[in-house]
Amino acid sequence: MRVTGARFPGRYIQAPELLSRLGSEVCSLGSHALCLLDGTLASRLEPLVYKGAGSSLKVVCRTHGGECSETEIAASVKAGRDEGVDLVIGVGGGKTLDTSKATAHELGVPVVIVPTIAASDAPCSALAVIYNEDGSVAYDRFLSRNPELVLVDTQIVAQAPARFLAAGIGDALATWYEAQSSLRADVPNCWGTHGAIVAHEIARLCRDVIFEHGAAALTDCDSNTVTPALEAVIEANILLSGAGFESGGVAGAHAIHHGLCELEDVHHHLHGEKVAIGVLAMLLILGEDDEFEHVRDFCKSVRLPVRLADVGIVEVTDEKLDRVGRRACKPGDIMKNEPIEVTPGMVADALKRLG
Ligand SMILES: [Zn+2]
């Protein structure tokens, strides 16, 4: 049976200084929360969380260890059980948020996600990427439901380095192209559902918002100022891209991202930066040369990489490109969601053309 559908978080809200209303926003979900705080920001965030919780919400804060690993999740689950919490709140970047989702899932309680950066479209999703202790990816864990609430304090996001926002734009850039590929190939998303009309419209809107407001949002982020442009791009990076990719499907751009991650060279670069290279290479592979020019100009305008050297691959060799191509086209993996058959050689050629 061909089933169409879409996935969303239970509720999504954003505003400057929204963390100050944490207690009243989550009171329908629970009254005693385990709050996982990103280790890099814990000392700054902890007082804001306690203040925002007010008198209606009892909070126990725990500083996240840095990795979303089975060990970290087990320790958080134990902390939650010992305290008898009925809610998990994650405040931080992707790994803290994914740990919070997995912890809540194991405890069988709702989860509230508070992203402190807009660097990827992970916050709204029902997915947690689990890492090994050495920092390599272990596996993707698909959870039974999306976060009950995603609360974005745009003042906090505006205070983070603009590079994170740019990376989020790179991740959001892939959403439209991958949903389009999935539609043309008539393949389902990771949950076995074909994207509903709303999935593709959200992906289109995601693209339009970042194209229109991306460059201005980065300038505003440089000055740590929340403006309508920055608010729009934060929503595109987190909500539109999140619902768009989960519902519309992923394809070649992320496949090439996975390939690039095989190389030590790229390890200091952010997910969305590598995804942007994947989008550009896929447009070349699909022969969409005019769109490639347009997207490359856009990437330059929003500080995203356009050449291999921009993501750390300074010395380009056939051996490296072959490794990237083979991982990108791993049989049964997401490259199959493209409407044409893509070979490792085609990936290597496209990356070479990027220079
Ligand atoms: Zn992504």
Side-chain angles (χ1 to χ4, degrees), residues 120-122 171-172 174 178 245 250 254 257 271-272 275:
S120 83
D121 55 20
D171 206 22
E178 296 191 302
F245 103 82
V250 292
H254 275 81
H257 160 272
H271 171 81
V275 170

Short mmCIF file of all heavy atoms in Angstrom, two decimals, residues 120-122 171-172 174 178 245 250 254 257 271-272 275, ligand 1:
data_model
loop_
_atom_site.label_atom_id
_atom_site.label_comp_id
_atom_site.label_asym_id
_atom_site.label_seq_id
_atom_site.Cartn_x
_atom_site.Cartn_y
_atom_site.Cartn_z
N SER A 120 21.30 22.70 12.48
CA SER A 120 20.81 21.56 11.70
C SER A 120 19.31 21.44 11.91
O SER A 120 18.72 22.17 12.73
CB SER A 120 21.49 20.25 12.13
OG SER A 120 20.85 19.72 13.26
N ASP A 121 18.70 20.50 11.17
CA ASP A 121 17.24 20.34 11.29
C ASP A 121 16.87 19.19 12.22
O ASP A 121 15.77 18.67 12.17
CB ASP A 121 16.60 20.19 9.90
CG ASP A 121 17.21 19.05 9.10
OD1 ASP A 121 17.83 18.15 9.71
OD2 ASP A 121 17.06 19.05 7.87
N ALA A 122 17.79 18.82 13.12
CA ALA A 122 17.54 17.69 14.02
C ALA A 122 16.51 17.96 15.14
O ALA A 122 15.83 17.02 15.55
CB ALA A 122 18.85 17.22 14.65
N ASP A 171 22.04 22.70 5.76
CA ASP A 171 21.19 21.52 5.99
C ASP A 171 19.79 21.78 5.42
O ASP A 171 19.19 20.90 4.78
CB ASP A 171 21.11 21.24 7.50
CG ASP A 171 20.83 19.77 7.82
OD1 ASP A 171 21.10 18.90 6.96
OD2 ASP A 171 20.36 19.50 8.94
N ALA A 172 19.29 23.00 5.62
CA ALA A 172 17.96 23.36 5.12
C ALA A 172 17.93 23.41 3.59
O ALA A 172 16.90 23.15 2.97
CB ALA A 172 17.54 24.71 5.71
N ALA A 174 19.34 21.40 1.58
CA ALA A 174 19.17 20.05 1.02
C ALA A 174 17.70 19.61 1.04
O ALA A 174 17.30 18.76 0.24
CB ALA A 174 20.01 19.05 1.83
N GLU A 178 16.19 17.20 -1.86
CA GLU A 178 16.04 15.78 -1.52
C GLU A 178 14.57 15.35 -1.54
O GLU A 178 14.25 14.23 -1.94
CB GLU A 178 16.71 15.49 -0.18
CG GLU A 178 18.21 15.73 -0.24
CD GLU A 178 18.96 15.22 0.97
OE1 GLU A 178 18.64 15.65 2.09
OE2 GLU A 178 19.85 14.37 0.81
N PHE A 245 12.33 17.42 5.88
CA PHE A 245 13.18 16.25 5.63
C PHE A 245 12.56 14.98 6.18
O PHE A 245 12.62 13.92 5.55
CB PHE A 245 14.61 16.47 6.18
CG PHE A 245 14.92 15.76 7.48
CD1 PHE A 245 15.30 14.42 7.49
CD2 PHE A 245 14.85 16.43 8.69
CE1 PHE A 245 15.59 13.78 8.69
CE2 PHE A 245 15.13 15.79 9.89
CZ PHE A 245 15.50 14.45 9.88
N VAL A 250 15.01 11.98 2.51
CA VAL A 250 16.40 12.40 2.27
C VAL A 250 16.95 11.62 1.08
O VAL A 250 16.41 10.57 0.72
CB VAL A 250 17.31 12.19 3.51
CG1 VAL A 250 16.92 13.14 4.63
CG2 VAL A 250 17.26 10.75 3.99
N HIS A 254 22.64 14.12 1.33
CA HIS A 254 23.09 13.51 2.59
C HIS A 254 23.92 12.25 2.33
O HIS A 254 24.80 11.93 3.13
CB HIS A 254 21.89 13.20 3.50
CG HIS A 254 21.48 14.38 4.34
ND1 HIS A 254 20.70 15.39 3.86
CD2 HIS A 254 21.79 14.72 5.63
CE1 HIS A 254 20.53 16.31 4.82
NE2 HIS A 254 21.18 15.92 5.90
N HIS A 257 27.23 13.62 1.86
CA HIS A 257 27.71 14.02 3.20
C HIS A 257 28.31 12.81 3.92
O HIS A 257 29.40 12.87 4.48
CB HIS A 257 26.56 14.61 4.03
CG HIS A 257 26.83 14.59 5.50
ND1 HIS A 257 26.50 13.51 6.31
CD2 HIS A 257 27.43 15.50 6.31
CE1 HIS A 257 26.90 13.78 7.55
NE2 HIS A 257 27.45 14.98 7.57
N HIS A 271 28.05 19.53 10.02
CA HIS A 271 27.15 18.71 9.20
C HIS A 271 26.62 19.48 7.99
O HIS A 271 26.76 19.06 6.85
CB HIS A 271 26.00 18.23 10.10
CG HIS A 271 24.89 17.55 9.38
ND1 HIS A 271 24.95 16.22 9.00
CD2 HIS A 271 23.69 18.01 8.94
CE1 HIS A 271 23.82 15.89 8.38
NE2 HIS A 271 23.05 16.95 8.33
N GLY A 272 26.02 20.64 8.24
CA GLY A 272 25.38 21.41 7.17
C GLY A 272 26.36 21.92 6.13
O GLY A 272 25.98 22.14 4.97
N VAL A 275 26.85 18.99 3.92
CA VAL A 275 25.60 18.75 3.17
C VAL A 275 25.51 19.72 1.98
O VAL A 275 25.07 19.34 0.89
CB VAL A 275 24.38 18.89 4.10
CG1 VAL A 275 23.07 18.88 3.30
CG2 VAL A 275 24.35 17.75 5.12
ZN ZN B 1 21.01 16.91 7.73
#
